[in-house]
Amino acid sequence: LVENVLSTDEAMVITKDKTKLDRCVQLRTEILEEKEYVNIYKNDDGTEIQDVILLALKKAHPVYPKLLLSLAWRWNKIDFARKGILFQKTTAENETTSVTKAALCSTLFATLANDQADFVELLLRKELKVDVTTLINVCTLQKLYSNVLDHNTMNDSMKLFMKNQLSSMHGPVLAHTNKDSHDGKERTKSDVVGNTRWGKKDECQPNRKCELDLILRVGRLLCLKLNDDNMRNPYLPKDADDGTERKIGFVDLFLFAVLFNRRKLGECMWRHCQNKLGAALVASSILKTFAKSAGRNLELQLSTDLMNHSSFYEKKASDVLTECFKRDKKMAQDLLIKKLEPPFDLMSPLALVDNNYLKYFMGNECCQTKLNGIWRGKIATHLPWWKILLALFMPIFIFGIKFTTNNRPFKVQTFCGRKPNRNKGNPVDNPDEHAQTSGGTKRKINKVNPGDKPDVLAQTCCGTDKAKTNKVEQQNKLHYYLNIGKESSKPQLYSVGMRCNQKDGVIQIVDAMYYLYTSPFSVYTLNMLSYVIFMFYFSYFIIVDLDEETSFREYTIWAWAVTMFVEEMRQLITHRTPGLNSKIKVWIGSHWNKFDLLINILFITTVALRYELSGNAFQYVRFLYSITVAMYFMRFLQAFLVAKNIGPKIIMIRKMLVSLLSFLGIFMVFFVSFSVMYQANLYPNSPPSVSLLKKLVYKPYWQIFGELFLDELSGDEYGDCTTNATVWRSAGGQGRCPENTRLVIFIGAIYVILTQIVLVNLLIAMFSNTFESVHEQSSQIWKFYWYGIVREYYERPVFCPPLIILVHIYRTIRHGVKRLQKRVSDNEFRLSDENLYGKQLLKFAEAATDRYLQQTIQERGENNKPEREATIYKKVK
């Protein structure tokens, strides 16, 4: 005992003290008298002393599993906990007492605080029946955050980072006192996280603000890092928001693991979340925002780790979506616009991805298929673009266009007095029938007759409640949705005819014309055509008809520009973000909107000066008008973002301009220094004037582009210059001949070498690096910006400027009427049926995710198989 447990110094002290030595001998004698409790331990057999102690305690005290479990998690003996405590085999001769629920809860929260993911996964097994939702509330969750921030020493860099982030949420990090830290003594790690009070459900008192201060600031931090002003604080008290109290569950523990950058624990909690796709996207968004914040604070290693962790969850979300897309393309696309589960139920996956720049996920095939479908509207996506353009400008060719629906745009059908959803199908009641889906697509299910039609809505509202199915029927639904090798979504295409015929697949020509001209593709085409006409009309006016007197053409251009300005204001006001300040912040965040703002300011300034300047000063009005029309031309570059090949080049230009701005800082050092040397040696003692500033920048700037000014640098007299100081001083330095200084020519040679050889090539290298970095990710970058373009022209009015003002008037009146009637318009970016169909989508995604996890485990096993075979081969050899 002395040799194995005590240190050498302690053993020497006990040996010298006769009393302590006698006491040890007496204890040894008493121990040896109880032979059934004696265990033999040897150092050379490879067994750790912790295992021996656990086995000895189990042998001596089989009815105290709580003590064994407490020691097992502290020593991280998961095998002993699994086989010897939690799942041990009991016989009639050796019957043991099972672990109590309180002990399991205490151990669960202790292992959560200490980041022991393996133990957490073990305790959450179904056999133990540990229900997290009934054991944790807001107060216990706050205590978990408090203990980790105060006492836990693991992952110190992330803990300090979290403290700084929470401090920025106003007030100290911990505004409440720890009730367990009585006696004023410093407690050890085991005392803090192993307290039995963890297993008790605390009484939460929302009226006491100090007790919920920490968790409320955690909620505010989540809202801030998700970049979505629609999200409310998930930890608000019951009566603070809408009167409902959300249960704390696995998603909150998953957020806890994500906020403290605990990878293994986070992955464990993620597998228990209900909506794994949304949870992974939320985690990736939070971690990416954290990585940017850490980078700004120069915590580069932490920033890299957080960014890698963000990419991990983004890839998981993309893989889950891919698995869903393999099973059912239509339902997978609907998952992208379905609202997430609480507490993120005000966001959809597509909106979350767009707000947080998750380019890898946006590049998923499912996302792009969904966006292409919205871009074409009800037009078949396989049709080439030139056929659509031909029908757009020559309607006679509309008979060559195929559509995905033949529903009437304004016809409302009812079942039992209710208005059904004509866009979304709800395959919830019986998967063995046809379910009408958006766009007129019919979902063909196994064991059906071709003539069957959906009657889900009729059954629901007329009293036939078939939504309550038994467990076997639910399993059959999921089995269908995961049926490999069978195409579940086969869209029916409709040709254009004079009359609508469902059986023959014909859509009425009037409806076809409506769908053709209201598709985002057609809206984009007509708007770009209108913009080109405006630019050429504006250019013609400046070149031919710009005088001091205002003409009809100028009034027309003003009216046209006003309609485009009103459209920009419409985009700002109708943005999804609540609050005017938030809308302005999001709107100004777009580079194109900043450019639009600059154009409008310049245009208004020009019009204001139009009535103030006359005569020779009117040239400034002409100059500002020319700059304005040039900026309108440059604004047209956004039109090329639609093209997959040209779009990334526009992004390259923007990034190159950023690189150019950083290069100008280096260039200005050389530019200013050599301009001063030129002026000081060629024109010494020059009188201060405006022309002096021009001379300072004129020569060194144009020398970059090959204009060397050799005659002037060599001191030769040229033109009508003079060396008479009286003459050139009275003229403010104008017409002065340069001084004949031979050293200036050498200064010019050095400047040309530095600028044209060194700096210009440095700029080319910077541009090349920018080009390569964008070119490698050109596909992902373009796919990400593609979402913004599709959404903009989906929400944009059908009429193009200047007729767009009529639509604005109509929409204003319609908006007021709908607010009175509390009606919600259909939207391809919002799932219309979040109840029945939304629940079915959630089950479909959960089943597909389970399949994905199984495939991942199988792939890991196959990858490890060659290594095992090689190990066996070596042993045999």
Side-chain angles (χ1 to χ4, degrees):
L1 178 65
V2 171
E3 292 178 356
N4 291 322
V5 177
L6 301 178
S7 64
T8 305
D9 296 336
E10 292 173 341
M12 292 176 64
V13 171
I14 293 177
T15 304
K16 291 179 181 180
D17 192 339
K18 188 70 169 62
T19 305
K20 292 183 178 180
L21 183 60
D22 293 340
R23 178 58 180 164
C24 287
V25 173
Q26 182 182 357
L27 287 173
R28 186 185 64 176
T29 304
E30 294 176 358
I31 291 173
L32 292 176
E33 290 178 355
E34 304 290 339
K35 295 181 180 181
E36 64 273 13
Y37 295 144
V38 176
N39 294 271
I40 307 301
Y41 170 64
K42 296 181 180 179
N43 283 329
D44 55 354
D45 62 354
T47 305
E48 296 182 0
I49 190 172
Q50 291 91 341
D51 296 324
V52 177
I53 295 175
L54 287 172
L55 291 172
L57 288 174
K58 181 181 179 182
K59 180 179 178 181
H61 304 283
V63 295
Y64 294 109
K66 180 179 178 180
L67 174 63
L68 296 175
L69 187 60
S70 178
L71 291 175
W73 76 258
R74 284 175 170 83
W75 290 338
N76 199 24
K77 297 298 179 181
I78 187 171
D79 292 333
F80 181 85
R82 180 174 58 251
K83 299 177 182 178
I85 305 176
L86 299 175
F87 303 104
Q88 59 178 335
K89 297 180 180 179
T90 59
T91 60
E93 297 80 7
N94 183 25
E95 185 176 357
T96 59
T97 305
S98 60
V99 184
T100 62
K101 190 174 183 180
L104 290 175
C105 296
S106 175
T107 307
L108 174 62
F109 284 97
T111 51
L112 282 170
N114 284 275
D115 194 18
Q116 292 177 281
D118 294 333
F119 255 97
V120 173
E121 185 70 26
L122 177 64
L123 294 171
L124 292 177
R125 290 180 60 173
K126 295 181 179 179
E127 294 87 342
L128 298 178
K129 299 180 181 180
V130 177
D131 189 3
V132 175
T133 57
T134 59
L135 300 174
I136 185 173
N137 59 8
V138 177
C139 290
T140 51
L141 184 64
Q142 178 173 254
K143 187 183 289 186
L144 180 61
Y145 279 96
S146 174
N147 277 274
V148 174
L149 290 171
D150 274 348
H151 305 282
N152 199 288
T153 58
M154 299 179 117
N155 202 358
D156 284 341
S157 60
M158 191 62 202
K159 184 182 72 172
L160 294 175
F161 178 78
M162 269 296 296
K163 280 188 176 182
N164 294 332
Q165 293 294 314
L166 291 173
S167 298
S168 63
M169 297 292 106
H170 310 294
V173 175
L174 294 176
H176 63 283
T177 58
N178 194 341
K179 298 181 181 180
D180 295 333
S181 58
H182 53 276
D183 300 334
K185 297 180 180 180
E186 183 180 357
R187 296 182 296 168
T188 61
K189 167 182 144 183
S190 301
D191 293 331
V192 173
V193 296
N195 195 299
T196 56
R197 291 189 61 184
W198 274 109
K200 299 178 182 179
K201 186 173 181 180
D202 299 341
E203 292 295 329
C204 191
Q205 300 176 3
N207 294 329
R208 298 180 61 182
K209 184 178 180 180
C210 61
E211 292 192 0
L212 292 179
D213 179 70
L214 175 60
I215 198 65
L216 287 177
R217 274 182 288 134
V218 171
R220 289 198 297 269
L221 181 65
L222 289 173
C223 297
L224 178 65
K225 298 305 177 183
L226 285 175
N227 297 321
D228 196 320
D229 296 325
N230 287 319
M231 180 180 172
R232 57 177 178 265
N233 194 324
Y235 301 119
L236 283 175
K238 179 178 180 180
D239 56 347
D241 191 16
D242 56 355
T244 59
E245 184 175 4
R246 182 182 64 87
K247 291 183 178 181
I248 305 298
F250 284 109
V251 65
D252 300 280
L253 298 180
F254 173 66
L255 292 174
F256 162 77
V258 169
L259 289 176
F260 286 100
N261 196 27
R262 297 180 172 183
R263 293 199 178 195
K264 199 170 182 181
L265 180 62
E267 190 173 0
C268 172
M269 292 295 103
W270 178 75
R271 289 195 293 267
H272 289 83
C273 291
Q274 185 179 15
N275 188 354
K276 298 178 180 61
L277 175 66
L281 291 175
V282 169
S284 179
S285 302
I286 294 173
L287 291 167
K288 190 170 186 178
T289 312
F290 273 1
K292 294 178 180 178
S293 300
R296 287 192 294 267
N297 296 332
L298 299 181
E299 299 181 26
L300 302 182
Q301 185 176 359
L302 179 61
S303 176
T304 303
D305 186 37
L306 289 170
M307 189 61 72
N308 293 335
H309 199 184
S310 172
S311 301
F312 170 77
Y313 280 111
E314 186 179 1
K315 187 177 184 304
K316 272 193 173 296
S318 180
D319 292 342
V320 169
L321 184 62
T322 301
E323 184 67 24
C324 295
F325 193 66
K326 290 179 182 178
R327 308 303 162 196
D328 192 296
K329 292 180 172 56
K330 180 64 180 62
M331 296 187 75
Q333 294 176 33
D334 290 340
L335 278 172
L336 295 173
I337 58 176
K338 178 191 177 299
K339 291 181 180 179
L340 302 179
E341 296 303 303
F344 312 107
D345 50 344
L346 295 180
M347 297 181 291
S348 65
L350 273 182
L352 182 64
V353 169
D354 178 60
N355 291 339
N356 296 278
Y357 301 97
L358 302 182
K359 293 187 285 293
Y360 182 82
F361 183 87
M362 189 66 80
N364 190 283
E365 182 182 2
C366 181
C367 296
Q368 295 302 305
T369 304
K370 176 65 176 177
L371 294 178
N372 290 334
I374 298 175
W375 181 248
R376 290 293 184 93
K378 306 301 181 183
I379 304 174
T381 56
H382 70 274
L383 287 176
W385 59 270
W386 60 268
K387 282 190 176 181
I388 303 176
L389 289 181
L390 198 63
L392 193 63
F393 296 107
M394 290 183 285
I396 189 64
F397 290 98
I398 197 174
F399 293 96
I401 304 297
K402 301 288 185 180
F403 294 86
T404 59
T405 182
N406 67 344
N407 291 338
R408 301 300 303 273
F410 305 106
K411 183 178 179 180
V412 180
Q413 300 174 356
T414 60
F415 290 95
C416 304
R418 292 190 180 182
K419 296 180 180 180
N421 177 24
R422 63 176 180 266
N423 290 329
K424 300 293 180 185
N426 303 333
V428 291
D429 290 333
N430 193 351
D432 297 336
E433 297 180 2
H434 281 285
Q436 188 75 18
T437 60
S438 66
T441 304
K442 284 192 176 181
R443 185 179 307 284
K444 189 175 181 180
I445 312 300
N446 298 333
K447 301 179 182 180
V448 294
N449 297 321
D452 293 339
K453 295 183 180 181
D455 57 350
V456 177
L457 293 173
Q459 294 170 355
T460 303
C461 63
C462 295
T464 307
D465 188 4
K466 293 186 179 180
K468 297 181 180 179
T469 57
N470 54 29
K471 185 176 181 180
V472 177
E473 292 176 347
Q474 293 289 342
Q475 292 177 351
N476 291 336
K477 296 176 188 178
L478 298 182
H479 175 71
Y480 156 71
Y481 289 125
L482 295 179
N483 194 5
I484 303 176
K486 293 185 179 181
E487 185 67 28
S488 57
S489 297
K490 294 183 179 180
Q492 181 179 352
L493 299 181
Y494 297 89
S495 302
V496 180
M498 300 305 296
R499 292 185 178 181
C500 176
N501 192 330
Q502 180 75 20
K503 295 182 179 179
D504 297 337
V506 177
I507 180 175
Q508 191 173 355
I509 187 171
V510 177
D511 300 336
M513 294 287 289
Y514 174 83
Y515 289 134
L516 173 65
Y517 285 95
T518 57
S519 67
F521 174 82
S522 302
V523 174
Y524 163 81
T525 303
L526 295 176
N527 274 272
M528 290 303 103
L529 179 61
S530 169
Y531 195 85
V532 170
I533 295 173
F534 169 75
M535 288 189 300
F536 281 102
Y537 188 70
F538 200 170
S539 303
Y540 177 82
F541 159 73
I542 293 176
I543 297 173
V544 176
D545 195 26
L546 180 57
D547 294 323
E548 294 186 15
E549 294 182 1
T550 308
S551 62
F552 175 77
R553 290 191 181 93
E554 191 168 3
Y555 283 124
T556 305
I557 291 172
W558 292 356
W560 204 322
V562 166
T563 60
M564 292 190 290
F565 176 75
V566 171
E567 169 59 20
E568 293 296 328
M569 292 299 99
R570 196 274 310 169
Q571 295 179 16
L572 188 152
I573 295 172
T574 60
H575 196 271
R576 304 173 299 278
T577 307
L580 183 59
N581 292 334
S582 300
K583 292 177 184 293
I584 295 175
K585 181 180 178 182
V586 174
W587 185 83
I588 206 69
S590 172
H591 298 290
W592 296 109
N593 289 337
K594 293 176 185 176
F595 202 79
D596 288 332
L597 181 62
L598 180 60
I599 292 176
N600 289 317
I601 291 175
L602 185 60
F603 191 90
I604 294 172
T605 304
T606 305
V607 174
L609 293 176
R610 175 78 170 76
Y611 292 99
E612 296 294 332
L613 302 179
S614 60
N616 293 331
F618 191 77
Q619 61 178 331
Y620 297 108
V621 176
R622 190 182 303 276
F623 179 74
L624 290 177
Y625 259 135
S626 61
I627 294 178
T628 304
V629 73
M631 295 184 69
Y632 272 117
F633 272 99
M634 295 178 64
R635 181 64 176 83
F636 188 69
L637 288 174
Q638 188 189 18
F640 296 105
L641 285 175
V642 176
K644 188 175 183 180
N645 296 327
I646 306 178
K649 306 301 187 295
I650 307 301
I651 301 171
M652 291 178 188
I653 294 175
R654 182 178 63 83
K655 291 184 177 293
M656 285 180 178
L657 291 176
V658 176
S659 301
L660 180 61
L661 292 177
S662 61
F663 168 80
L664 288 178
I666 303 173
F667 170 73
M668 288 302 296
V669 174
F670 295 92
F671 180 80
V672 174
S673 60
F674 279 89
S675 63
V676 171
M677 285 191 288
Y678 281 152
Q679 186 66 26
N681 288 278
L682 290 176
Y683 304 99
N685 301 323
S686 298
S689 62
V690 178
S691 61
L692 177 61
L693 181 62
K694 176 183 176 182
K695 288 183 178 180
L696 278 173
V697 301
Y698 189 79
K699 284 186 289 298
Y701 177 79
W702 291 110
Q703 279 184 331
I704 300 174
F705 305 101
E707 185 64 42
L708 300 180
F709 301 98
L710 292 179
D711 294 338
E712 189 173 356
L713 294 180
S714 60
D716 297 336
E717 296 182 3
Y718 62 93
D720 298 331
C721 65
T722 179
T723 57
N724 190 345
T726 305
V727 176
W728 58 259
R729 280 187 182 276
S730 60
Q734 294 289 336
R736 180 184 179 183
C737 293
E739 298 291 333
N740 190 359
T741 306
R742 297 180 179 180
L743 296 178
V744 177
I745 194 68
F746 294 101
I747 295 175
I750 296 173
Y751 177 74
V752 171
I753 292 174
L754 290 174
T755 55
Q756 295 191 6
I757 297 178
V758 178
L759 294 182
V760 172
N761 283 280
L762 174 62
L763 181 61
I764 294 173
M766 293 173 64
F767 285 169
S768 299
N769 183 43
T770 302
F771 178 84
E772 292 176 359
S773 62
V774 175
H775 184 71
E776 290 175 356
Q777 303 178 355
S778 59
S779 179
Q780 286 187 7
I781 294 174
W782 177 82
K783 289 176 181 178
F784 176 78
Y785 284 103
W786 176 236
Y787 170 83
I789 297 172
V790 173
R791 180 130 200 178
E792 177 182 351
Y793 285 95
Y794 175 81
E795 298 173 349
R796 200 179 182 96
V798 177
F799 289 173
C800 55
L803 300 178
I804 196 173
I805 193 66
L806 301 177
V807 184
H808 289 150
I809 297 173
Y810 166 74
R811 284 191 174 186
T812 303
I813 299 174
R814 187 186 65 174
H815 178 71
V817 173
K818 286 191 174 184
R819 285 179 64 89
L820 294 176
Q821 298 179 354
K822 297 183 179 180
R823 295 173 55 191
V824 179
S825 302
D826 294 335
N827 195 322
E828 289 291 340
F829 290 93
R830 181 180 60 242
L831 192 66
S832 58
D833 185 5
E834 289 282 350
N835 296 323
L836 297 177
Y837 186 45
K839 293 178 181 179
Q840 190 64 28
L841 284 176
L842 196 61
K843 293 179 181 179
F844 162 73
E846 186 177 359
T849 306
D850 293 340
R851 185 110 184 180
Y852 160 73
L853 293 175
Q854 293 176 2
Q855 292 178 355
T856 304
I857 295 174
Q858 293 176 0
E859 290 175 358
R860 290 178 181 176
E862 293 177 356
N863 294 334
N864 296 332
K865 186 176 180 181
E867 298 179 1
R868 295 196 300 267
E869 293 178 350
T871 304
I872 296 173
Y873 174 76
K874 290 180 180 179
K875 291 181 178 180
V876 172
K877 188 174 181 180

